[in-house]
Amino acid sequence: MGRASHLAHHLAGAASEEAIAVIRLSVLYPKTEGATFDHDYYLNSHIPMACRMWGLTQVEVDRGIRGPYVAAAHFRFESMDELKKAMSADSSEISSDLANYTTITPVMQISELAD
């Protein structure tokens, strides 16, 4: 099961009342000894592709300075249903692009944004 498919499977059990909350999908890249990460490719190629495929117009991208991550991207979805819809689409192009910019396995977190 691909990373996006795996995430979609976990989202399937989300409660219906969560559908009205604003949701953030954070994709975090932990510092890993000997790993590589091409920030320019990530920012200029991978992120625009993900936004285009998921129908998003805004994303926040972090370049780690201190802390456990070399990079992170935070995608905002207007509801859990919107995130589920994005994750259920064919994301093989996004997954296969990983090798073009990093050797790090990303960690994903789904959060409900607090008011």
Side-chain angles (χ1 to χ4, degrees), residues 30-36 68 70 103-104:
K31 287 182 181 172
T32 307
E33 189 168 334
T36 59
V70 296
T103 56
I104 300 170

Side-chain angles (χ1 to χ4, degrees), residues 41 45-54 93-94 97:
Y41 183 92
S45 296
H46 185 77
I47 291 295
M49 175 180 46
C51 287
R52 184 179 64 252
M53 292 183 77
W54 292 340
E93 186 178 355
I94 294 172
D97 192 47

Side-chain angles (χ1 to χ4, degrees), residues 51-104:
C51 287
R52 184 179 64 252
M53 292 183 77
W54 292 340
L56 301 174
T57 58
Q58 294 183 356
V59 61
E60 293 179 355
V61 179
D62 303 340
R63 181 186 295 237
I65 296 172
R66 261 191 210 153
Y69 302 105
V70 296
H74 308 283
F75 300 93
R76 184 179 173 140
F77 294 86
E78 292 306 312
S79 68
M80 184 62 81
D81 288 339
E82 289 296 315
L83 175 58
K84 288 179 189 179
K85 181 179 171 185
M87 294 297 109
S88 67
D90 180 12
S91 297
S92 60
E93 186 178 355
I94 294 172
S95 298
S96 64
D97 192 47
L98 186 72
N100 291 325
Y101 64 91
T102 191
T103 56
I104 300 170

